[in-house]
Amino acid sequence: MLTSAPLLAAPLRLLPPTTRYWVRLRHKAGMCFEPATYFTPPAQARRQRQHLPAADSTDFPVRPDFVRQIRAFTDSVTLVSRWFNAVACRATLAQAARLRRLPGVLSVEEWEGRPLLPAARPGPAERGSMSLSADDRQLARRQTTSLGSTDFRQAGLVGQGLRIAIFDVGFVGTVRHPAFAQLVAEKRIVATYDFVRNGPDVFVGGTHGTEVLSCLAGRLPDGTLLGLAPGAEFLLARTERLNREIYAEEEAWLAAAEWADRNGADIINSSLGYTDRRYFPEQMNGRTSLVARAAEMAVRKGILVVNAAGNDGEDTEWRTIGTPADADSVLTVGGLDPDTYLHIGFSSYGPSADRRLKPNVIAFGTVLAAVPGGYARIQGTSFASPLMAGFAACAWQQQRDLPVMQLFSQLQTCADLYPYFDYAHGYGLPRAAAFLRPVGPGTSGQPTVDFVPQDTVVTVLIRPEAAVIPAQVLPLYSDSAAVVGSAPKVSAVGREDIVPPVAKQPAQSQPEPEPALAALLRPGYLYWHIADRHGVLRSYEVREVTQRAVLRIPVRALRPGDTVRVCYRGITQSYSVQ
């Protein structure tokens, strides 16, 4: 009986591992470029309005012979960037060594993919409802009226003529949702592109982009607007993979920014951010990440970049803003609590790693938005960002030729706390009335507080005329004003929670009758900070005002060159330490 010899399995051949690399090229010599052919008419018009040249060297194409050489020596090329004259590719160590010897290559840097985090609150997606409560409808109105939507509408400003690009995970359900019926009917979604799958269909992957778009141009069935820019045109870019738990990479954001520039975007809304999945807090300086540098380049092209601050405010290991929110010329938007009109707990804090002010402004962090099946309340700085982007669109419609960084500056100066700022609220909540009718120099209002320096403390007193509220006058309890801290240091940066009202203590003598504390109506908050001689905050806080003697700062907590700023009822006053 014959038996067959056993067959030997062929040994598996393991392929060498590949790594992502960022290949910078030496030059673009010999390349020709026709701006009128490459850029759409809106892109050309934006450059003219912004007094920019029709093109510069960063717009010229990358030399195709350099790209061909890189393709020949690598496994795959995943991005070719005109702006940075660079190529992203995957290669083995041996291939990378050969790339470095190519004549057109300036440098080859290992560049692992960095995950992108949508700035929405974590949790399972909830299906919405077409049946809305009175509270839901009120929130829908307040998220826009808080920014001055009535003033914009009366001025005829709805973002018309502006083109807004949205970078997100996907826009599932957008074209079928009743919130966008008018937007779709008027064909104001003018271009779309999926930078994950390299195709035009962005209505896949997730609903986060749909929710964000609704905070720009969505409507309730009764016509109530959910955002401030229902008249704008939109470019929708999918820059992330699958769903909210799986994130794409920075190169998709860069590719989308170059695409948005070519297609005439005036504003980019990015409700996204990179944080501790790839970076350290000390790298949030606006210069380290590729995506921050890409955002800065977009601004150089005349595009306003609006980015969510992030949702790490309650994360003890991070807490700070992500990137590209850390970029200097990116308008970073924090989250406001609709119930208290103060920083909402999850909203990420500033400053940037190099101590610049972030966030710049703030808007509602809890909103009513369009979701699958109808509408729902959702949370995240993801939604504060498009509310602010809509505000910027209306503002730019009113002053169409305003240079982008002048617009950036005016968006800050029209906020309700300006010139006061802190690392939770930025300059506060922008107001349409303040943008449309800016207050001139010397007309900023009457002082509302007095600084009273004493031997060991500086006391802050509410002025009598600012203490008058309906049927009540704030009492003066100078002996019961809380001393800030028991050590030479005041509240730590980031601890801006409301301080409870001070407890009443028996007074030896009162200069005025004492009204019942329970009957007082709260006139507002007092914001205050201590800044060093370089303008960097050492501490800041928000206090609820229930009496005229509102604050006592120990002299030992102050250093030469410090400035104490107090904002009360929209008036900011300063006390300088010599």
Side-chain angles (χ1 to χ4, degrees), residues 172-190:
V172 171
T174 293
V175 294
R176 297 183 302 275
H177 200 290
F180 308 108
Q182 185 170 337
L183 185 70
V184 172
E186 296 175 358
K187 298 181 178 179
R188 283 187 286 105
I189 299 176
V190 296

mmCIF file of all heavy atoms in Angstrom, residues 172-190:
data_model
loop_
_atom_site.group_PDB
_atom_site.id
_atom_site.type_symbol
_atom_site.label_atom_id
_atom_site.label_comp_id
_atom_site.label_asym_id
_atom_site.label_seq_id
_atom_site.Cartn_x
_atom_site.Cartn_y
_atom_site.Cartn_z
ATOM 1 N N VAL A 172 -24.729 62.239 8.089
ATOM 2 C CA VAL A 172 -25.820 61.289 7.860
ATOM 3 C C VAL A 172 -27.163 61.966 8.118
ATOM 4 O O VAL A 172 -27.373 62.596 9.159
ATOM 5 C CB VAL A 172 -25.652 60.054 8.772
ATOM 6 C CG1 VAL A 172 -26.897 59.162 8.697
ATOM 7 C CG2 VAL A 172 -24.415 59.262 8.382
ATOM 8 N N GLY A 173 -28.083 61.824 7.175
ATOM 9 C CA GLY A 173 -29.446 62.318 7.342
ATOM 10 C C GLY A 173 -29.664 63.777 7.018
ATOM 11 O O GLY A 173 -30.800 64.262 7.076
ATOM 12 N N THR A 174 -28.625 64.503 6.659
ATOM 13 C CA THR A 174 -28.767 65.948 6.436
ATOM 14 C C THR A 174 -29.800 66.262 5.360
ATOM 15 O O THR A 174 -30.693 67.097 5.569
ATOM 16 C CB THR A 174 -27.404 66.564 6.053
ATOM 17 O OG1 THR A 174 -26.520 66.476 7.170
ATOM 18 C CG2 THR A 174 -27.563 68.026 5.660
ATOM 19 N N VAL A 175 -29.686 65.638 4.204
ATOM 20 C CA VAL A 175 -30.534 66.035 3.068
ATOM 21 C C VAL A 175 -31.990 65.650 3.282
ATOM 22 O O VAL A 175 -32.881 66.211 2.622
ATOM 23 C CB VAL A 175 -30.013 65.431 1.751
ATOM 24 C CG1 VAL A 175 -28.657 66.029 1.405
ATOM 25 C CG2 VAL A 175 -29.923 63.917 1.825
ATOM 26 N N ARG A 176 -32.264 64.730 4.206
ATOM 27 C CA ARG A 176 -33.651 64.299 4.443
ATOM 28 C C ARG A 176 -34.270 64.939 5.673
ATOM 29 O O ARG A 176 -35.462 64.796 5.910
ATOM 30 C CB ARG A 176 -33.709 62.773 4.582
ATOM 31 C CG ARG A 176 -33.275 62.014 3.342
ATOM 32 C CD ARG A 176 -33.437 60.514 3.528
ATOM 33 N NE ARG A 176 -32.674 60.018 4.664
ATOM 34 C CZ ARG A 176 -31.392 59.686 4.613
ATOM 35 N NH1 ARG A 176 -30.719 59.811 3.480
ATOM 36 N NH2 ARG A 176 -30.765 59.227 5.687
ATOM 37 N N HIS A 177 -33.474 65.621 6.475
ATOM 38 C CA HIS A 177 -33.993 66.157 7.732
ATOM 39 C C HIS A 177 -34.784 67.436 7.460
ATOM 40 O O HIS A 177 -34.327 68.313 6.715
ATOM 41 C CB HIS A 177 -32.844 66.459 8.692
ATOM 42 C CG HIS A 177 -33.270 66.548 10.124
ATOM 43 N ND1 HIS A 177 -34.045 67.584 10.623
ATOM 44 C CD2 HIS A 177 -33.036 65.712 11.181
ATOM 45 C CE1 HIS A 177 -34.267 67.385 11.909
ATOM 46 N NE2 HIS A 177 -33.666 66.261 12.272
ATOM 47 N N PRO A 178 -35.974 67.594 8.073
ATOM 48 C CA PRO A 178 -36.770 68.808 7.829
ATOM 49 C C PRO A 178 -36.072 70.088 8.270
ATOM 50 O O PRO A 178 -36.418 71.170 7.789
ATOM 51 C CB PRO A 178 -38.053 68.558 8.640
ATOM 52 C CG PRO A 178 -37.706 67.469 9.622
ATOM 53 C CD PRO A 178 -36.679 66.635 8.953
ATOM 54 N N ALA A 179 -35.091 69.980 9.166
ATOM 55 C CA ALA A 179 -34.373 71.177 9.605
ATOM 56 C C ALA A 179 -33.651 71.856 8.455
ATOM 57 O O ALA A 179 -33.378 73.064 8.507
ATOM 58 C CB ALA A 179 -33.371 70.812 10.700
ATOM 59 N N PHE A 180 -33.320 71.089 7.398
ATOM 60 C CA PHE A 180 -32.536 71.620 6.286
ATOM 61 C C PHE A 180 -33.322 71.676 4.986
ATOM 62 O O PHE A 180 -32.722 71.808 3.910
ATOM 63 C CB PHE A 180 -31.285 70.766 6.093
ATOM 64 C CG PHE A 180 -30.482 70.575 7.342
ATOM 65 C CD1 PHE A 180 -30.462 69.335 7.982
ATOM 66 C CD2 PHE A 180 -29.777 71.623 7.916
ATOM 67 C CE1 PHE A 180 -29.731 69.141 9.138
ATOM 68 C CE2 PHE A 180 -29.050 71.444 9.085
ATOM 69 C CZ PHE A 180 -29.031 70.203 9.697
ATOM 70 N N ALA A 181 -34.645 71.595 5.069
ATOM 71 C CA ALA A 181 -35.458 71.556 3.850
ATOM 72 C C ALA A 181 -35.199 72.782 2.973
ATOM 73 O O ALA A 181 -35.027 72.666 1.751
ATOM 74 C CB ALA A 181 -36.938 71.452 4.216
ATOM 75 N N GLN A 182 -35.153 73.956 3.579
ATOM 76 C CA GLN A 182 -34.941 75.167 2.797
ATOM 77 C C GLN A 182 -33.516 75.228 2.259
ATOM 78 O O GLN A 182 -33.285 75.611 1.108
ATOM 79 C CB GLN A 182 -35.236 76.404 3.646
ATOM 80 C CG GLN A 182 -35.168 77.716 2.871
ATOM 81 C CD GLN A 182 -35.696 78.884 3.673
ATOM 82 O OE1 GLN A 182 -36.477 78.713 4.611
ATOM 83 N NE2 GLN A 182 -35.290 80.093 3.311
ATOM 84 N N LEU A 183 -32.558 74.832 3.075
ATOM 85 C CA LEU A 183 -31.156 74.825 2.652
ATOM 86 C C LEU A 183 -30.968 73.933 1.433
ATOM 87 O O LEU A 183 -30.296 74.314 0.457
ATOM 88 C CB LEU A 183 -30.282 74.335 3.809
ATOM 89 C CG LEU A 183 -28.769 74.360 3.621
ATOM 90 C CD1 LEU A 183 -28.257 75.788 3.615
ATOM 91 C CD2 LEU A 183 -28.094 73.554 4.734
ATOM 92 N N VAL A 184 -31.562 72.742 1.469
ATOM 93 C CA VAL A 184 -31.436 71.799 0.358
ATOM 94 C C VAL A 184 -32.200 72.297 -0.861
ATOM 95 O O VAL A 184 -31.698 72.237 -1.996
ATOM 96 C CB VAL A 184 -31.926 70.401 0.795
ATOM 97 C CG1 VAL A 184 -31.991 69.452 -0.393
ATOM 98 C CG2 VAL A 184 -31.025 69.833 1.886
ATOM 99 N N ALA A 185 -33.410 72.817 -0.647
ATOM 100 C CA ALA A 185 -34.220 73.298 -1.775
ATOM 101 C C ALA A 185 -33.529 74.428 -2.517
ATOM 102 O O ALA A 185 -33.636 74.532 -3.749
ATOM 103 C CB ALA A 185 -35.589 73.744 -1.268
ATOM 104 N N GLU A 186 -32.821 75.271 -1.795
ATOM 105 C CA GLU A 186 -32.132 76.402 -2.418
ATOM 106 C C GLU A 186 -30.726 76.055 -2.883
ATOM 107 O O GLU A 186 -29.982 76.932 -3.344
ATOM 108 C CB GLU A 186 -32.086 77.577 -1.435
ATOM 109 C CG GLU A 186 -33.475 78.118 -1.098
ATOM 110 C CD GLU A 186 -33.457 79.198 -0.029
ATOM 111 O OE1 GLU A 186 -32.364 79.509 0.496
ATOM 112 O OE2 GLU A 186 -34.533 79.727 0.296
ATOM 113 N N LYS A 187 -30.355 74.761 -2.778
ATOM 114 C CA LYS A 187 -29.075 74.241 -3.268
ATOM 115 C C LYS A 187 -27.893 75.037 -2.722
ATOM 116 O O LYS A 187 -26.973 75.403 -3.444
ATOM 117 C CB LYS A 187 -29.063 74.231 -4.799
ATOM 118 C CG LYS A 187 -30.142 73.333 -5.392
ATOM 119 C CD LYS A 187 -30.092 73.310 -6.910
ATOM 120 C CE LYS A 187 -31.162 72.365 -7.451
ATOM 121 N NZ LYS A 187 -31.182 72.327 -8.938
ATOM 122 N N ARG A 188 -27.920 75.273 -1.405
ATOM 123 C CA ARG A 188 -26.838 76.040 -0.784
ATOM 124 C C ARG A 188 -25.799 75.146 -0.110
ATOM 125 O O ARG A 188 -24.923 75.646 0.561
ATOM 126 C CB ARG A 188 -27.415 77.092 0.172
ATOM 127 C CG ARG A 188 -27.967 78.283 -0.608
ATOM 128 C CD ARG A 188 -28.401 79.447 0.246
ATOM 129 N NE ARG A 188 -29.653 79.179 0.928
ATOM 130 C CZ ARG A 188 -29.766 78.894 2.214
ATOM 131 N NH1 ARG A 188 -28.696 78.854 2.980
ATOM 132 N NH2 ARG A 188 -30.944 78.667 2.758
ATOM 133 N N ILE A 189 -25.901 73.827 -0.306
ATOM 134 C CA ILE A 189 -24.762 72.947 -0.047
ATOM 135 C C ILE A 189 -24.063 72.814 -1.386
ATOM 136 O O ILE A 189 -24.467 72.036 -2.253
ATOM 137 C CB ILE A 189 -25.211 71.583 0.505
ATOM 138 C CG1 ILE A 189 -25.940 71.762 1.840
ATOM 139 C CG2 ILE A 189 -24.004 70.655 0.687
ATOM 140 C CD1 ILE A 189 -26.505 70.474 2.421
ATOM 141 N N VAL A 190 -23.021 73.622 -1.581
ATOM 142 C CA VAL A 190 -22.481 73.818 -2.936
ATOM 143 C C VAL A 190 -21.383 72.822 -3.297
ATOM 144 O O VAL A 190 -21.063 72.647 -4.481
ATOM 145 C CB VAL A 190 -21.964 75.257 -3.116
ATOM 146 C CG1 VAL A 190 -23.108 76.248 -3.003
ATOM 147 C CG2 VAL A 190 -20.890 75.594 -2.087
#
